[in-house]
Amino acid sequence: MTARRRAASAAVAFALALAASPAFAVDPAVTGLPAPGSYALHSIQSAPEASLLDAQGRRTSLSAYTRGAVTALGFFYSRCADPLGCPVAWSTFEQARREAESDPLLKGRLRLVFVSLDPARDTPSVLRMLESEEKGGEVPWVFLTGASEGDMTPLLAAMGQDIAHETGRAGKRTGVINHMLKVFLIDPKGWVREIYSTAFLTPDGLLNDARTLAMEFPDARNAVAVR
């Protein structure tokens, strides 16, 4: 199978998994969330530095995507078929992005980032296909990967993102990566201010917290200064 066909296969598999993910109904009138800016999000940890690849295959620093804006960062892999895993993050990001595009407080300040857990399969060509589905608008959504698994190991350890590659009877990897879904909300100074798991990740909750940070950092801008 050619690289192009493998990329297409991965993108189709991810789309099918996304279709199986639960849909969220966002109704601000019934969320029961506190008003944005009326509560504090405390600093949890500093977002680490890492050298990654963007969808064009260029070396880039992770800090270029975790500084300057209010950033929601999630780890994923394109072959994830767990309906309570990566597709939940994808669905949440899509819905949050649609609402943020019409929100004057967020559309110039919010950035979305997906970092692959599977650099062997999620090559830049695969990321380009996925990223092309999310282009346009004033809330950028970028996809990053590592040049190798070794590139990813220090970053995953620093972020507390444990993973385990599933193996079959012969000890060969099946392609399934077991991991707990985590999404990190990062302020413009690079501090993680909230961490969401599957049970707590919803578009309205993410947006509420993002608005709180946008109010705290009115000079935040979601343009990426690649370095």
Side-chain angles (χ1 to χ4, degrees):
M1 184 181 290
T2 66
R4 185 179 182 84
R5 289 184 63 188
R6 284 196 298 270
S9 177
V12 169
F14 194 80
L16 290 174
L18 175 60
S21 66
F24 297 106
V26 181
D27 185 351
V30 297
T31 59
L33 294 169
S38 67
Y39 59 97
L41 292 169
H42 301 290
S43 298
I44 299 172
Q45 67 182 81
S46 178
E49 182 59 287
S51 178
L52 299 174
L53 299 177
D54 66 13
Q56 305 306 316
R58 299 171 299 204
R59 277 281 183 180
T60 186
S61 62
L62 179 60
S63 61
Y65 301 90
T66 58
R67 303 290 192 277
V70 177
T71 301
L73 183 150
F75 290 98
F76 87 113
Y77 71 105
S78 64
R79 299 190 179 202
C80 182
D82 181 358
L84 296 179
C86 308
V88 173
W90 189 290
S91 178
T92 300
F93 275 30
E94 278 195 329
Q95 295 185 56
R97 187 177 188 232
R98 281 197 294 270
E99 185 168 340
E101 289 284 355
S102 60
D103 186 334
L105 184 61
L106 291 179
K107 66 180 181 181
R109 297 183 177 91
L110 179 63
R111 177 194 302 135
L112 307 178
V113 178
F114 260 11
V115 180
S116 176
L117 297 169
D118 191 7
R121 292 183 175 88
D122 291 339
T123 60
S125 62
V126 172
L127 298 190
R128 282 197 298 275
M129 295 183 68
L130 298 175
E131 195 171 270
S132 68
E133 299 296 320
E134 305 297 340
K135 280 190 176 295
E138 296 183 71
V139 178
W141 187 349
V142 297
F143 292 75
L144 305 171
T145 190
S148 67
E149 287 186 15
D151 268 9
M152 297 299 300
T153 301
L155 172 60
L156 298 180
M159 297 294 279
Q161 179 69 76
D162 296 328
I163 68 171
H165 292 270
E166 186 178 283
T167 58
R169 291 183 179 179
K172 185 177 180 180
R173 289 183 180 181
T174 65
V176 174
I177 301 176
N178 295 314
H179 65 103
M180 177 183 290
L181 175 65
K182 291 183 180 181
V183 169
F184 301 81
L185 186 65
I186 305 170
D187 72 24
K189 292 184 177 180
W191 282 92
V192 176
R193 304 288 290 273
E194 186 59 277
I195 304 174
Y196 310 92
S197 61
T198 303
F200 299 99
L201 181 63
T202 61
D204 51 325
L206 177 62
L207 287 169
N208 209 65
D209 291 343
R211 291 184 180 108
T212 293
L213 291 186
M215 294 170 70
E216 183 180 341
F217 295 92
D219 294 331
R221 294 294 178 268
N222 58 18
V224 174
V226 178
R227 53 184 182 275

